[in-house]
Amino acid sequence: MKFNYRYKEINQINFAFKDKNELEFFKGDKGEVLAFHGKIILGLGEEDKFNKEIFKEAICSLGKFLKDKDVKEISIKENSTGLDDKDFVLSLAEALIVSSYDFNYYKSDKKENLFEVVNLDESFNEFEADVDELQKVLCGQFLTRDLVNLRSNDIYPETLAQKASENLSDLGVKVTIYGKDEILSMGLTAFYEVAKGSDKEPKFIVMEYFHGQKDKAPLALVGKGLTYDAGGYSIKTSNGMKTMNSDMGGSGSVIGAMKAIALNKLQVNVVAIVAACENLISGRAYKPGDIIKARNGMTIDVDNTDAEGRITLADAVNYAATEYKPALIVDLATLTGAAIGALGETYTASITNNEEAFKKVLRASKKVDEKIWLLPNDPFYKTYNESENGDVKNSGGPKAGSITAGQFIENFVEAYPWVHLDIAGTAYLSAPQGINSKGATGVHVKTLYELAKEF
Ligand code: BES
Ligand code: MN
Ligand code: ZN
């Protein structure tokens, strides 16, 4: 999609609040569209409830209308919404681009995304660079969406690593891919325990983007990379496993964020790490009751093989901590059903060992309308993870499941500032929400980009 800053008299878009006009056949409800003689009126809903998120939702509905009618070009003369001009232009750009996302990879009969040009009045010229930056960030977000939507017969550890390399290597990101032998020699033994039940070789993917000050401690992003989670011997129901291609959502988000950062040539030091594997059943798979050893020497009592994500993350965050001595570790993971129970698909659940660090992440997320809620890191909950025979248990049981999962990971971050984002609900939607369609959202690519930019 191109944003031209040359206004034309075609398909002019105008805006109207609810019940603020004389027309009987047009109320002005949010997203309501009225089109006649090359002019289009878009309803924005009630004026006193209006904000930029609502504006994006209305634009998203306009985008769908235009796509349905094969309209490829629109023009916008003025901003009559009350939003400031920068928010107006950027929200318009984001919602039009996102509304055009359509995952049709597996359809023989694909409808191309036809929407092409937005002509804006010259008074919006000053935001040209901001729109360009946003388009690059969304390019990262769309990569994430594609990776997460693709099914596990196409995305498995090797192909995920390939995609990371193809997308990032030419942009100044050094992508290193380690296989089974290296994983073991690097001491990533707990990760390997989860991976060993699958015929697909695990891959440990390290993406380094070091374009900031020479000795400045980097931002470390760690993404859960279960390219399929059947649960292992603590097996899921067939319905529960059906969407588990999305269990690499965290790794999808960190790969997409690296693309957004690199495309925009941010002058920062960022490292992204993904421990990619499948959690399956076989004669070689780990079993409930096994006691395994992690990279930091701790023993993990495997209470439930379906609580596999935190085991892979234990070694991945530990590697990030000891190898990079980062200023901040942010891990993203489709970690617990409990996060969906608590916050649905609207808010990401978070936990931290450092409230200042969390505030930075929260500030970044608010700028880009991605919702995060901090759960209490109360020491009492840690007692749920205590094991009779090992140092720690991989499941804290049914109580406070998202907190105990986060606290398990905290054992491995070596006291570096750390923020955990449980995106089980927000990475992959069971129904459309806001400007996002069903399926992968690419959640927190924008947040991680903003965080890196402020770093
Ligand atoms: N990948 C799942 C969490 C999940 C569930 C993500 C539904 C998205 C949608 C994770 O590996 C898992 O199975 N967690 C268990 C943990 C439990 C056994 C302690 C869960 O939440 O049930
Ligand atoms: Mn699981
Ligand atoms: Zn999982």
Side-chain angles (χ1 to χ4, degrees), residues 224 229 231 236 240 243-244 246-247 279 304 306-310 334-338 340 394-397 424-425:
K224 174 174 171 181
D229 177 16
K236 292 185 183 296
T243 55
M244 282 299 128
S246 67
D247 212 19
N279 185 24
N304 188 316
D306 198 13
E308 83 299 334
R310 67 196 76 181
T334 50
L335 204 63
T336 63
I340 308 173
N394 81 323
S395 155

Side-chain angles (χ1 to χ4, degrees), residues 183-184 186-194 292-295 315:
I183 287 167
L184 288 173
M186 289 154 83
L188 304 164
T189 42
F191 165 43
Y192 185 70
E193 284 292 324
V194 173
I292 63 180
K293 212 174 186 90
R295 185 174 186 271
D315 280 354

Side-chain angles (χ1 to χ4, degrees), residues 16-28 41:
F17 289 108
K18 190 173 167 71
D19 300 328
K20 290 278 161 77
N21 65 65
E22 320 277 87
L23 300 171
E24 276 171 32
F25 45 88
F26 180 79
K27 294 264 178 298
I41 304 181

Side-chain angles (χ1 to χ4, degrees), residues 57-93:
E57 287 174 27
I59 292 292
C60 182
S61 124
L62 172 70
K64 299 221 156 81
F65 172 88
L66 297 171
K67 188 170 176 180
D68 189 51
K69 299 280 182 282
D70 284 352
V71 175
K72 299 178 186 180
E73 192 166 346
I74 59 168
S75 300
I76 293 173
K77 178 96 186 131
E78 62 184 6
N79 168 16
S80 59
T81 64
L83 294 173
D84 75 52
D85 279 354
K86 183 172 174 180
D87 279 347
F88 173 75
V89 175
L90 289 177
S91 302
L92 175 77

